[in-house]
Amino acid sequence: MARGMSVILLSPAALGAQAPGTLEVERAEFARWLRTSPISPYAAIYHQPFAGELVFGPDAVPPLHQLPAATLDQGLFRLSLTTADGDRTVPRNRDIPLGEWQLRVSGERGRSVVTVFGEPPATEPPGWYDYDRRWVADGVLEASESGATRRMYGLDGVEVEATHAGTFVASVGAQSVRLTVFRMPEAGTEESELQVFFRDGTNDNGTYPAGRFLTLRPLGANRYRADFNRARNPFCAYNGIFPCPLPWSGNAIDAAVEAGERYDGSGTEVF
Amino acid sequence: MMVRAILMLSATGVLAAGAPAAAQTTSPGGPWRAALDLAGGALRFHIEIFEDAGHLSGRLCNADACDPFSTLARIAGSPDSLLLEMADYAAVIRVRHSSDSLTGFYRNVGNRGPRTIPFRASRGSWPIERPPPELVGRWDAFFNPADNPSPRILDFRRTARGLEGTIISNTGDYGLFWGRAEADSFSMAHFDGSFVYMLTGQLMGDTVSGIFHAGLTSQRPFVAVRSTGEPHLTAPEEVVRADTTAPFRFAFPSVDGGMVTSEDPRFAGKVMIVDIFGTWCPTCHDAAPILVDLYERYHERGLEIVGLAYEVTGDTAIDGALVRRYREKFGIEFPLLLAGVNDSESPQATQPQLEGGIAYPTNIFIDRTGRVRRVHAGFYGPATGQAHQALRQEFFDLTEELLREPSTSSR
């Protein structure tokens, strides 16, 4: 059942969390991470789901001549990496040296994904539209009755077990929208985010063609804020080796949402 | 309890560590009442900054539980800006300071990029607001009661510092929470640089309900009723089960070099506690002092303790250094071995005699014949008050009982 969408008063804390000044800090930190982090999506040269054994180097199919010969093996209980230097246990979500590269395994047991990183290339992040208060939409979440779970790609191109949280109902621009919301877990923590993967009139004309992610911020009393100034690209926008999520059914906004992260070309192609 | 990685953060080139204060800046030294502004409200805690001849240090406190910042320094070229670093969690608080305020943000880094949460602080301490007597005590809670109920125990205490307590799951507690209460509403939080937890709610007769906040935006509803004393969580000895038909076996490298195995003569006919732990695990830090006490009191009578560390990197040099630092911190005299890494596969691979997964810590009590007699998953830390004391006594009583048994055969 849809509920009213009247303006509500925010607590000072909530207002502070939404202020453009804070947004500038978020953007600056994120841009710095994209440019310099050893695990920046720009630095990724290889990204591959695997279940059993995965071979690197010249013997790989297709050959990966840039990488040293190595085998990543998901055994019954143990994930191991065998190189010319020997065998070692591989923890998840940690950087492991592989020659001059860094290897990182994420995902869950049986649904692992390996990403290999090199030096971040001198790539300038795509930047953002100027902050625009008009693209901040408050609304209600109509809770899902089923709470069904589904395997789906998250923002970083890694599959997670997402839970259908419901439908976010709000006015975006001049349009009343109903956007599907999934709760996406953060591995290894108690945290999870209510996320929307949406398409709008700017796709392929200022923003990434496949769409963008947005995290809903709770306002209390079942109300949530969709601040499209915080809309983010999936990792496939930075680098073509990451898989792109399929657009979520129905999450199309007619208006050109000129807010959030932009896109000005194809992702970097490596290999 | 969910775990987070320990990563090392380099701030090289950013800090002016130890640089004398610029003459025109006000000293940031002193106590500060601090807050992280989560979407669901302010998470309150305290920080303390010390300045001695221009050199800065400080610590982050939840009630009287304080941890030092790994680095606290002015930022080069910006003398009114400070960096408060928590290197173990790849986390920093970066602020600008005036005479009476600190404003900035907290940041840590995950796979999907940095997470920033607004931070602010004013000089002094938060007021003490004690909870009503009706709130004090233990409550049997369910997180996500409507769609995916998950049991917890909430423990509220009224102390000289206001409201203190913790949350307990099947595998241990979430550390010490501190906060306040006003009429029937309460808010208490735990922030250690990595975990950003806050519990807010309301007392309504025989029910407490509210929201568990994790991080900037994550919220889970809960509802609780006063504990009757009946079991609400899975019993610690049911979380992890062990094969008791054969002697318990292990063989791992010591942090001092060389292999240590269950077959070593030093363990023959002895009572043994095997402690599965990680230096990254706060609950393991809570358990360590009790193991040290047990070893001091009973080693001469035939108790051996072995710590099996599941660390972060899998790199012997890095993990070994972390475990040696842990040993030094607690004055541990029993062997600590590098058993693996803290992912879901490694403990099962290295402990095939255990079933049901691994909680950190897990303490395995082994009798003089080498058979497992009790497996205790998780630990109730000091934040749980009476439960901590009861568990401590249980560990001592069980050790006494096993030591009294005759050594009828060797392992």
Side-chain angles (χ1 to χ4, degrees):
Chain A
M1 179 179 68
R3 303 183 188 180
M5 286 176 278
S6 59
V7 174
I8 68 162
L9 292 175
L10 296 177
S11 69
L15 281 172
Q18 304 290 334
T22 303
L23 181 63
E24 288 307 309
V25 169
E26 289 175 22
R27 289 178 170 181
E29 288 291 325
F30 185 62
R32 190 161 68 95
W33 182 79
L34 282 176
R35 288 191 197 98
T36 63
S37 170
I39 58 167
S40 161
Y42 284 129
I45 61 165
Y46 181 72
H47 181 87
Q48 181 65 44
F50 70 101
E53 187 178 89
L54 189 64
V55 176
F56 300 100
D59 295 334
V61 181
L64 302 168
H65 292 292
Q66 290 88 337
L67 299 178
T71 303
L72 193 59
D73 184 21
Q74 172 67 76
L76 182 58
F77 295 119
R78 178 170 175 256
L79 181 60
S80 62
L81 179 69
T82 304
T83 66
D85 297 330
D87 175 277
R88 62 164 294 166
T89 300
V90 176
R92 292 177 189 279
N93 301 310
R94 306 285 181 277
D95 297 344
I96 303 296
L98 178 62
E100 60 188 283
W101 315 95
Q102 296 287 323
L103 169 154
R104 176 175 277 232
V105 176
S106 51
E108 307 150 19
R109 182 168 178 269
R111 295 176 182 272
S112 301
V113 179
V114 63
T115 309
V116 179
F117 298 90
E119 286 291 320
T123 305
E124 192 60 23
W128 291 268
Y129 288 101
D130 288 342
Y131 177 83
D132 189 338
R133 176 78 191 187
R134 290 176 302 166
W135 297 113
V136 179
D138 293 352
V140 297
L141 181 66
E142 294 178 359
S144 165
E145 290 185 2
S146 68
T149 59
R150 191 168 123 191
R151 303 284 314 175
M152 57 201 313
Y153 285 122
L155 179 142
D156 55 358
V158 174
E159 266 195 350
V160 296
E161 187 89 6
T163 305
H164 183 220
T167 304
F168 178 66
V169 183
S171 292
V172 178
Q175 181 187 1
S176 292
V177 298
R178 298 176 59 83
L179 301 172
T180 298
V181 181
F182 277 88
R183 183 170 288 282
M184 312 285 273
E186 182 76 19
T189 78
E190 292 263 353
E191 297 181 32
S192 58
E193 292 185 330
L194 292 174
Q195 292 195 331
V196 174
F197 188 55
F198 70 97
R199 303 187 78 247
D200 71 280
T202 66
N203 293 152
D204 210 13
N205 186 23
T207 65
Y208 193 61
R212 292 179 290 170
F213 277 94
L214 181 61
T215 298
L216 297 184
R217 298 194 173 208
L219 301 175
N222 201 40
R223 297 186 63 79
Y224 290 84
R225 169 162 294 180
D227 182 353
F228 288 89
N229 294 284
R230 289 181 159 89
R232 279 183 64 178
N233 289 331
F235 277 16
C236 56
Y238 311 118
N239 192 326
I241 68 168
F242 291 99
C244 256
L246 290 172
W248 293 3
S249 177
N251 278 13
I253 300 171
D254 294 338
V257 180
E258 294 182 330
E261 194 169 12
R262 301 174 62 102
Y263 177 74
D264 52 10
S266 60
T268 57
E269 297 291 345
V270 187
F271 284 86
Chain B
M1 183 170 180
M2 293 294 179
V3 298
R4 268 192 181 266
I6 296 176
L7 301 172
M8 302 307 290
L9 181 71
S10 168
T12 307
V14 175
L15 305 179
Q24 71 274 21
T25 58
T26 307
S27 170
W32 296 85
R33 53 179 187 269
L36 295 179
D37 284 325
L38 310 185
L43 183 161
R44 292 182 175 190
F45 59 104
H46 288 97
I47 62 174
E48 297 172 357
I49 297 178
F50 311 102
E51 181 155 28
D52 181 15
H55 293 272
L56 295 172
S57 61
R59 57 186 194 166
L60 185 158
C61 300
N62 296 279
D64 61 346
C66 300
D67 287 309
F69 293 110
S70 54
T71 304
L72 200 165
R74 292 184 173 83
I75 296 173
S78 181
D80 63 346
S81 295
L82 301 175
L83 201 64
L84 295 71
E85 185 177 4
M86 294 153 280
D88 283 349
Y89 303 120
V92 297
I93 297 172
R94 183 176 177 138
V95 296
R96 295 177 71 89
H97 83 89
S98 66
S99 60
D100 58 1
S101 70
L102 304 174
T103 54
F105 60 90
Y106 154 80
R107 181 197 71 212
N108 72 346
V109 181
N111 283 356
R112 298 172 193 161
R115 169 179 71 166
T116 57
I117 300 177
F119 168 94
R120 57 189 161 90
S122 302
R123 287 195 183 273
S125 301
W126 289 111
I128 294 169
E129 296 166 282
R130 294 190 177 87
E134 296 79 15
L135 182 65
V136 172
R138 291 189 143 216
W139 297 76
D140 294 343
F142 282 103
F143 283 13
N144 299 327
D147 47 7
N148 184 22
S150 178
R152 300 286 190 279
I153 287 175
L154 311 180
D155 185 25
F156 299 107
R157 296 194 299 278
R158 181 184 167 100
T159 74
R161 289 172 292 276
L163 171 63
E164 293 184 35
T166 192
I167 301 169
I168 305 170
S169 73
N170 283 332
T171 58
D173 65 271
Y174 287 49
L176 178 63
F177 280 58
W178 171 83
R180 64 204 169 101
E182 186 176 325
D184 293 333
S185 297
F186 66 89
S187 171
M188 65 177 191
H190 173 90
F191 171 58
D192 58 13
S194 175
F195 297 113
V196 180
Y197 292 155
M198 183 165 73
L199 192 77
T200 58
Q202 195 167 25
L203 173 67
M204 293 173 292
D206 295 331
T207 303
V208 167
S209 61
I211 302 288
F212 173 68
H213 311 252
L216 179 62
T217 65
S218 182
Q219 298 186 353
R220 300 165 75 184
F222 73 87
V223 62
V225 297
R226 188 172 290 283
S227 294
T228 61
E230 293 295 311
H232 181 58
L233 303 176
T234 303
E237 41 296 3
E238 295 296 321
V239 176
V240 182
R241 296 173 301 281
D243 174 7
T244 58
T245 61
F248 189 79
R249 306 286 189 205
F250 62 83
F252 298 109
S254 163
V255 290
D256 299 317
M259 292 292 290
V260 174
T261 85
S262 50
E263 310 305 303
D264 290 352
R266 66 182 290 182
F267 301 131
K270 301 289 182 64
V271 170
M272 183 179 291
I273 301 173
V274 173
D275 176 39
I276 294 177
F277 78 103
T279 61
W280 45 267
C281 154
T283 319
C284 302
H285 287 237
D286 288 342
I290 289 184
L291 296 172
V292 168
D293 287 352
L294 283 165
Y295 191 76
E296 280 182 4
R297 182 178 302 184
Y298 296 118
H299 177 57
E300 291 296 318
R301 288 177 54 190
L303 174 67
E304 293 285 350
I305 301 179
V306 175
L308 306 185
Y310 287 85
E311 285 304 307
V312 174
T313 71
D315 182 308
T316 303
I318 296 172
D319 292 347
L322 289 169
V323 174
R324 284 190 291 274
R325 191 170 73 177
Y326 181 86
R327 178 171 66 184
E328 188 177 335
K329 175 180 178 181
F330 293 107
I332 291 171
E333 295 183 356
F334 48 81
L336 299 180
L337 316 183
L338 292 174
V341 292
N342 64 332
D343 62 17
S344 58
E345 293 102 327
S346 189
Q348 291 178 44
T350 55
Q351 303 293 342
Q353 289 173 271
L354 300 181
E355 299 173 10
I358 291 288
Y360 291 96
T362 290
N363 290 112
I364 305 164
F365 290 78
I366 299 167
D367 67 18
R368 292 183 187 274
T369 72
R371 262 74 174 179
V372 174
R373 295 289 292 273
R374 175 86 63 87
V375 180
H376 191 101
F379 189 79
Y380 298 146
T384 64
Q386 209 169 21
H388 174 65
Q389 291 304 324
L391 183 58
R392 176 188 169 89
Q393 191 60 50
E394 187 182 328
F395 276 23
F396 275 73
D397 290 347
L398 180 57
T399 303
E400 283 268 12
E401 180 186 324
L402 294 176
L403 285 169
R404 281 196 298 269
E405 293 179 356
S407 178
T408 53
S409 63
S410 63
R411 55 175 56 99

